[in-house]
């Protein structure tokens, strides 16, 4: 059973998450803030963490760019859920590939572990992240050799659609790629709920 909860802003849809996954109390979530490491604005990292804790979850932080291979393996395999925050999608993918976390995450999700992806964490689940160039700087990931991403879903999430300060950028991505990619633009009040190959958008 493949289950993903893909959002623009987790704190704004935490109530939808509570309906999607009812068994939360005391569960541990591997919290990956890696995409935010190269960003100046990072308020959403703590906002997401606090929202998880308010739901009764135990947050176990895993910073891919500084963690050992053992830490990455133990936390991703041992904890109940995986949460990947927003930030720079290219840097996130670079570090996932560099550490082998990408392969473990794919295996864990295919084995039934719930994945929560916020903004960059949602976009990286698509097959390829080249479409994100308008939103994130590729220069922040100098070691990224290609844009092939996790390939967990058949669509391409466009986060922060209609929300400042990403309104124009998100619209530009939609205008540029909607004829060639299966885009799913979501605002900060939306969540994409994925169960196996079926998915739906829920709005607050």
């Amino acid at each position: 059973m493949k289950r993903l909860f893909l959002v623009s802003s987790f704190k704004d849809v935490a109530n939808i998450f509570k309906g999607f996954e009812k068994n939360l109390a005391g569960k541990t979530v591997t919290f990956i803030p890696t995409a935010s490491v190269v960003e100046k604005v990072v308020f959403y990292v703590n906002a997401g963490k606090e929202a998880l804790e308010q739901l009764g979850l135990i947050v176990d932080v895993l910073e891919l760019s500084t963690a050992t291979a053992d830490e990455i393996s133990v936390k991703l395999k041992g904890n109940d859920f995986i949460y990947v925050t927003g930030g720079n999608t290219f840097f996130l993918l670079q570090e996932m590939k560099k550490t082998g976390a990408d392969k473990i995450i794919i295996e864990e999700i295919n084995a039934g572990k719930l994945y929560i992806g916020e903004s960059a964490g949602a976009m990286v689940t698509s097959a390829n992240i080249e479409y994100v160039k308008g939103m994130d700087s590729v220069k922040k990931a100098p070691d990224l050799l290609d844009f092939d991403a996790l390939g967990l879903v058949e669509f391409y999430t466009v986060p922060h659609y209609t929300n400042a300060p990403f309104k124009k950028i998100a619209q530009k991505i939609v205008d540029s790629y909607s004829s060639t990619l299966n885009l799913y633009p979501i605002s900060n009040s939306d969540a994409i709920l994925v169960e196996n190959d079926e998915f739906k958008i829920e709005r607050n």
Side-chain angles (χ1 to χ4, degrees):
M1 181 67 159
K2 189 165 71 174
R3 299 177 77 225
L4 297 93
F5 187 80
L6 307 177
V7 303
S8 298
S9 172
F10 184 77
K11 72 175 176 64
D12 292 315
V13 293
N15 60 315
I16 298 176
F17 181 67
K18 205 160 54 172
F20 181 62
E21 175 53 61
K22 295 178 176 66
N23 189 9
L24 294 174
K27 293 284 182 77
T28 303
V29 55
T30 301
F31 186 90
I32 301 175
T34 303
S36 69
V37 168
V38 291
E39 298 294 312
K40 287 192 180 81
V41 179
V42 295
F43 67 88
Y44 48 84
V45 176
N46 276 333
K49 202 183 287 180
E50 284 167 14
L52 291 166
E53 287 169 347
Q54 282 167 9
L55 292 169
L57 290 160
I58 298 154
V59 175
D60 186 10
V61 177
L62 174 62
E63 172 45 64
L64 297 178
S65 61
T66 54
T68 65
D70 278 353
E71 277 177 310
I72 291 170
S73 180
V74 167
K75 290 188 180 190
L76 287 175
K77 291 177 181 178
N79 291 335
D80 300 296
F81 307 139
I82 297 167
Y83 183 111
V84 181
T85 73
N88 186 287
T89 315
F90 298 105
F91 181 74
L92 172 63
L93 184 62
Q94 171 185 287
E95 296 307 307
M96 281 183 165
K97 288 184 169 186
K98 203 185 271 186
T99 58
D102 58 338
K103 291 183 174 64
I104 300 172
I105 289 169
I106 292 165
E107 280 171 17
E108 290 297 300
I109 292 168
N110 286 334
K113 186 164 291 181
L114 173 59
Y115 175 95
I116 305 150
E118 178 179 39
S119 194
M123 292 190 283
V124 81
T125 63
S126 63
N128 188 291
I129 58 166
E130 190 168 1
Y131 78 104
V132 184
K133 278 181 176 176
M135 197 173 271
D136 293 344
S137 169
V138 186
K139 290 176 184 171
K140 291 183 179 177
D143 300 330
L144 187 63
L145 302 175
D146 61 66
F147 301 118
D148 291 338
L150 302 181
L152 290 161
V153 293
E154 298 287 317
F155 55 85
Y156 297 78
T157 305
V158 183
H160 314 296
Y161 188 63
T162 71
N163 299 109
F166 297 102
K167 200 173 179 178
K168 283 184 179 172
I169 297 168
Q171 188 59 57
K172 196 176 177 188
I173 290 173
V174 170
D175 294 343
S176 303
Y177 290 98
S178 57
S179 60
T180 53
L181 297 178
N182 185 19
L183 297 179
Y184 272 80
I186 54 170
S187 77
N188 289 0
S189 306
D190 301 332
I192 304 176
L193 282 53
V194 181
E195 298 199 67
N196 288 331
D197 294 324
E198 293 184 11
F199 57 91
K200 61 180 179 180
I201 295 177
E202 276 199 23
R203 294 190 163 89
N204 257 340

